[in-house]
Amino acid sequence: SQKIEQNSEALNIQEGKTATLTCNYTNYSPAYLQWYRQDPGRGPVFLLLIRENEKEKRKERLKVTFDTTLKQSLFHITASQPADSATYLCALDRGADGLTFGKGTHLIIQP
Amino acid sequence: NAGVTQTPKFRILKIGQSMTLQCTQDMNHNYMYWYRQDPGMGLKLIYYSVGAGITDKGEVPNGYNVSRSTTEDFPLRLELAAPSQTSVYFCASSSTEQGSYGYTFGSGTRLTVV
């Protein structure tokens, strides 16, 4: 069956450093992959989408890579700030059947 | 620009009761989805719709029903509520089949069945 794995443990990063989150998947070949941010008590918010033929995508301090050979995506936040603290969700497309989400990684940026 | 609006935000149901979770979007999106999120778990797809009058089952449809009479509205019906349906429910919409511009989520409905 399809599996998406994100680091279930909280990731603690010092302010100003680069935070790197990992998303691994098996038994699937998605056409694209998305990253979302979720704050406590709120719905997920779309951040970035990367297609299978793209190696890297950037948006301001965010960068996403997509390695279809390794079946892995990396999500980077550079110059991290305490306001970046949240849970970050990786999601793979299933076409018209919607997205399959990972459990998310809780990121804590310490001042 | 309200986006996706869900009501109610919180609800407590007794076992066996029924209720409808409301979801409406004002972005003219064709695709709409209902997910549930349990603590420490990923979002699970319950039902989805590719347009008015068309709905289909997702990963965990048992105990739920949906309808899509208009582009804007996609209510989720719970019949005979069970404790296993205690969860946070999110409605989402997208403009394309693959959600290639991302999904827009509502703020969620926190449901407790006692």
Side-chain angles (χ1 to χ4, degrees), chain B residues 6-59:
Chain B
Q6 292 184 239
T7 57
K9 293 190 184 302
F10 304 93
R11 183 72 185 268
I12 298 175
L13 276 184
K14 293 184 178 179
I15 294 172
Q17 286 186 322
S18 61
M19 75 166 292
T20 299
L21 282 66
Q22 301 292 343
C23 174
T24 187
Q25 52 93 6
D26 62 358
M27 298 169 285
N28 202 33
H29 285 172
N30 284 326
Y31 299 87
M32 296 189 74
Y33 311 86
W34 274 105
Y35 286 87
R36 61 175 286 172
Q37 186 176 39
D38 299 313
M41 304 296 291
L43 291 147
K44 301 290 185 185
L45 183 65
I46 305 171
Y47 269 95
Y48 64 97
S49 169
V50 301
I54 306 169
T55 63
D56 210 342
K57 296 178 180 180
E59 196 178 351

Side-chain angles (χ1 to χ4, degrees), chain A residues 49-98:
Chain A
L49 175 149
I50 187 165
R51 291 181 169 79
E52 61 178 341
N53 60 349
E54 298 175 316
K55 297 292 185 187
E56 182 179 299
K57 201 80 166 283
R58 292 176 184 262
K59 179 182 176 183
E60 298 173 352
R61 292 185 297 111
L62 308 180
K63 184 178 85 171
V64 171
T65 63
F66 193 12
D67 189 325
T68 54
T69 301
L70 292 178
K71 294 186 180 295
Q72 180 181 79
S73 175
L74 299 178
F75 176 81
H76 307 272
I77 304 176
T78 59
S80 58
Q81 305 165 1
D84 295 326
S85 299
T87 296
Y88 290 86
L89 307 174
C90 167
L92 305 181
D93 87 286
R94 298 189 304 182
D97 293 352

Side-chain angles (χ1 to χ4, degrees), chain B residues 93-108:
Chain B
S93 71
S94 69
S95 59
T96 63
E97 177 177 293
Q98 283 82 19
S100 51
Y101 299 102
Y103 284 18
T104 301
F105 281 84
S107 57

Side-chain angles (χ1 to χ4, degrees), chain A residues 5-24:
Chain A
E5 293 182 356
Q6 295 186 255
N7 191 341
S8 58
E9 296 179 5
L11 182 62
N12 284 272
I13 300 293
Q14 192 173 7
E15 182 178 5
K17 301 291 186 184
T18 296
T20 299
L21 285 65
T22 304
C23 175
N24 295 299

Side-chain angles (χ1 to χ4, degrees), chain B residues 36 46-47 60-66 76-79 84-87 89 111:
Chain B
R36 61 175 286 172
I46 305 171
Y47 269 95
V60 290
N62 291 343
Y64 307 94
N65 272 301
V66 293
L76 177 71
R77 178 82 176 165
L78 277 71
E79 305 281 2
S84 61
Q85 293 178 305
T86 294
S87 189
Y89 292 84
L111 175 68

